[in-house]
Amino acid sequence: MVRLSFNLEETFVDTPKGIHRIRNLPDATLRQLWDSIVIEAETKKQLHAQAILNFTVRKRVPRTVLPLHGIIFLVGPPGTGKTSLARGLADRVARSFDGAKIRLLEVDPHVLGSSAMGKTQKAVSELFSQTIAEAAMAGPIIVLLDEVETLATDRTKLSLDANPVDIHRATDAVLTQLDDLAEKYPDILFVATSNFPDAVDAAFSSRCDLILEVPLPNADACKQILKDCLTRIGEAYPAIGSIAASPLFSRCAAECVGLDGRAIRKTVANAMAATVETAANPNSMSADMLLEALKAAKANRKKGGA
Ligand SMILES: Nc1ncnc2c1ncn2[C@@H]1O[C@H](COP(=O)(O)OP(=O)(O)O)[C@@H](O)[C@H]1O
Ligand SMILES: [Mg+2]
């Protein structure tokens, strides 16, 4: 008999409009998230350093000298760990400023989409000039602008016939508000992400202090991601953990190349669900099943890309 349990505690938290979550930092879960993302060590260091610089330098050096906006922008294909890195970075920064009470605000990426015509620009302006500004007055904050293309849509690609004028105005509003906040609050750091950097307005990108590409994992990274995934599952299902040390492991890892980090982990889950029996008793999943699932995922990916 499979027993199911749910944790509803975090599901219904009262947050201001346009913000879907607020967390106090540091946060142990976010630390794990940061550690779980496999990318070049240099990239993590660069991100970390830029975020620290934001909080040390912006309040001391005038913007006429260093025109910083306090925005870091992570771009790359879906599933490469951008959102995870952004959240993990927030925790990392908080730990670097020992004792500082930094909070992480996550903007609801669909605050625009859900607004009725004519309300979009107002909703965006209020979000930045009221909600975010008020939070900044209470102390240092890091604001996650996930899927920022929905907020700062490239105005040159919108046709006035097909798209409401309001989206143009909303993008204008975002840009104006970002300038305003940069001027008034040096203790804000925005971390934005996008899977579609071409859909993001150039005026937004030019305001970013650092634009970082998060690529698909290379062969080494794929191996590490798969190993980490199997080993961690191994804590609950030891037979799966032992696949990481099996003769088939390197073939499985090689099959991961071309998949993103999310797809690699999901494919392991697919392999666990290869049959009703393995789903009910994941310890019975074999390395062969994993290899088959990875091959199928790769074939699907190729089909999708063609
Ligand atoms: N480079 C990576 N290393 C390890 N895990 C990864 C990596 N990229 C993605 N993942 C896994 O995929 C999940 C989704 O990643 P996410 O941060 O939402 O990606 P994105 O925002 O780029 O679409 C993460 O929780 C993580 O488990
Ligand atoms: Mg994301």
Side-chain angles (χ1 to χ4, degrees):
M1 179 74 172
V2 183
R3 211 179 283 167
L4 301 174
S5 64
F6 296 95
N7 182 4
L8 290 180
E9 217 167 283
E10 295 210 336
T11 313
F12 304 105
V13 191
D14 218 11
T15 52
K17 196 168 152 240
I19 302 285
H20 85 99
R21 185 160 192 180
I22 300 178
R23 296 186 225 230
N24 292 319
L25 302 171
D27 178 307
T29 317
L30 298 188
R31 182 183 207 159
Q32 282 179 10
L33 206 54
W34 175 261
D35 292 339
S36 75
I37 298 299
V38 181
I39 49 163
E40 296 286 332
E42 270 315 306
T43 308
K44 275 193 185 174
K45 277 189 201 155
Q46 191 186 1
L47 254 180
H48 187 193
Q50 183 73 38
I52 302 255
L53 181 89
N54 181 72
F55 289 101
T56 48
V57 160
R58 274 180 61 219
K59 52 180 155 291
R60 303 197 55 180
V61 180
R63 294 194 69 225
T64 45
V65 180
L66 284 178
L68 295 173
H69 269 85
I71 310 174
I72 293 177
F73 189 17
L74 304 177
V75 299
T80 48
K82 299 178 298 296
T83 306
S84 308
L85 280 172
R87 291 188 173 126
L89 177 65
D91 171 74
R92 199 80 200 157
V93 172
R95 285 177 205 276
S96 304
F97 292 100
D98 203 19
K101 289 206 166 63
I102 305 183
R103 287 182 301 159
L104 171 64
L105 276 66
E106 298 191 5
V107 168
D108 176 358
H110 304 295
V111 63
L112 257 187
S114 60
S115 302
M117 267 280 280
K119 287 204 176 144
T120 311
Q121 179 196 3
K122 190 162 168 272
V124 168
S125 292
E126 278 175 11
L127 172 67
F128 285 86
S129 68
Q130 290 174 25
T131 311
I132 295 178
E134 272 168 28
M137 274 187 255
I141 53 170
I142 296 175
V143 182
L144 173 60
L145 299 176
D146 212 14
E147 300 173 20
V148 76
E149 69 278 356
T150 57
L151 272 176
T153 313
D154 186 346
R155 291 162 297 182
T156 63
K157 298 211 171 113
L158 292 175
S159 111
L160 276 175
D161 308 328
N163 295 282
V165 177
D166 205 44
I167 296 193
H168 288 249
R169 295 212 185 107
T171 298
D172 289 338
V174 170
L175 298 171
T176 312
Q177 294 298 337
L178 286 173
D179 287 340
D180 225 43
L181 290 172
E183 199 67 54
K184 290 184 188 147
Y185 305 100
D187 272 348
I188 302 184
L189 171 65
F190 288 96
V191 188
T193 78
S194 181
N195 298 329
F196 309 102
D198 289 348
V200 175
D201 201 88
F204 173 81
S205 308
S206 96
R207 281 163 171 77
C208 297
D209 304 333
L210 172 69
I211 300 179
L212 208 87
E213 287 240 11
V214 184
L216 284 177
N218 62 20
D220 255 6
C222 285
K223 199 170 182 173
Q224 259 195 72
I225 295 168
L226 184 64
K227 189 169 182 184
D228 174 74
C229 185
L230 294 171
T231 315
R232 296 297 304 276
I233 298 173
E235 291 166 17
Y237 301 106
I240 295 182
S242 67
I243 295 177
S246 77
L248 265 189
F249 176 76
S250 6
R251 276 181 64 196
C252 291
E255 210 55 57
C256 293
V257 178
L259 297 177
D260 59 75
R262 180 191 279 134
I264 295 172
R265 293 180 189 272
K266 278 195 191 285
T267 306
V268 176
N270 295 149
M272 292 165 79
T275 65
V276 171
E277 287 72 29
T278 53
N281 174 21
N283 261 326
S284 64
M285 178 189 102
S286 66
D288 279 304
M289 285 172 170
L290 178 60
L291 187 59
E292 283 317 305
L294 287 165
K295 281 184 180 163
K298 259 300 256 305
N300 261 338
R301 179 65 52 114
K302 281 200 186 117
K303 239 190 277 161

